[in-house]
Amino acid sequence: MSRLANHLLRLSACMATAVCLGGCASYYYGDSAGGAGVSGGAMRTSVIAANHHAADMLVQGAPLDRTQSVLVATLVNVDRLGESSRLGRIFSEQIAGRLVQRGLPVTELKLRDNVAMQREQGELLLSRELRDVSRSHDAQAVVVGTYAVSASILYVSIKLVRPEGNVVVSAHNYAVPIDDNVRALLVGR
């Protein structure tokens, strides 16, 4: 089976699982469960499933040492690299959480004093800061990413970058349909 066909098969299975699990959550907890499901006739996007799948794809085959930490920077708007949103921060949190679930140590940047954090922006790492911050946290790699908004789709690109030379060792791109929940995360600061 080709790599593309294998990837599409995994993606289909992941999305089917997300829809089924969202339905189960709605059965037990009502429509406010937050999974993929129908609410008022509109499909909701399971951003958690999308971000977990993206994290899985990012580390698949990546040359990582499970004894050294990884940092996860806040995803930023591709048109305004110095800004983020609630969406960028929660996507980063979900990606970091998935990496921990997969057995990688992730250093929590919000608890460190030497990472410059802008109020309501998150941990924004520009390329010139990447090496210094990762060294101070003894991190082997940093997850960085951007998102772009179209009329109906949110496009996300994440990369796993080695601090020495800013070498990208893995990358993953994915798209999330924009529904009311995603739209609210985008406009929220």
Side-chain angles (χ1 to χ4, degrees):
M1 185 180 295
S2 75
R3 186 172 183 194
L4 177 60
N6 192 14
H7 175 72
L8 291 174
L9 183 61
R10 269 199 229 125
L11 182 60
S12 296
C14 181
M15 295 309 287
T17 301
V19 169
C20 290
L21 290 177
C24 293
S26 294
Y27 174 79
Y28 286 106
Y29 303 110
D31 283 337
S32 62
V38 177
S39 175
M43 283 299 284
R44 289 187 302 188
T45 303
S46 178
V47 297
I48 295 172
N51 288 321
H52 282 189
H53 178 73
D56 291 346
M57 296 306 294
L58 188 66
V59 298
Q60 184 179 36
L64 293 174
D65 179 346
R66 297 209 176 263
T67 64
Q68 284 188 287
S69 71
V70 173
L71 302 177
V72 180
T74 300
L75 273 66
V76 295
N77 185 321
V78 73
D79 295 320
R80 294 182 298 278
L81 296 176
E83 295 180 20
S84 189
S85 62
R86 284 191 302 168
L87 180 132
R89 291 187 298 276
I90 196 64
F91 274 40
S92 297
E93 291 287 336
Q94 292 170 358
I95 291 166
R98 185 57 163 197
L99 296 178
V100 171
Q101 291 172 354
R102 293 291 181 211
L104 286 168
V106 174
T107 300
E108 178 61 67
L109 290 174
K110 289 188 287 295
L111 300 178
R112 301 297 185 121
D113 294 332
N114 53 348
V115 174
M117 289 179 55
Q118 297 175 350
R119 186 173 179 266
E120 298 181 348
Q121 289 299 313
E123 305 82 33
L124 304 177
L125 297 180
L126 303 176
S127 60
R128 66 181 177 273
E129 302 166 323
L130 187 66
R131 187 175 53 234
D132 295 338
V133 171
S134 58
R135 276 187 188 155
S136 69
H137 293 289
D138 194 29
Q140 65 177 319
V142 181
V143 176
V144 296
T146 58
Y147 60 87
V149 183
S150 75
S152 60
I153 302 289
L154 176 79
Y155 295 96
V156 184
S157 295
I158 57 175
K159 296 174 184 171
L160 189 64
V161 180
R162 288 228 186 263
E164 298 305 320
N166 292 341
V167 176
V168 176
V169 294
S170 180
H172 183 70
N173 300 307
Y174 58 110
V176 176
I178 296 178
D179 61 11
D180 289 340
N181 292 324
V182 171
R183 195 170 291 108
L185 289 171
L186 284 166
V187 299
R189 291 279 175 198

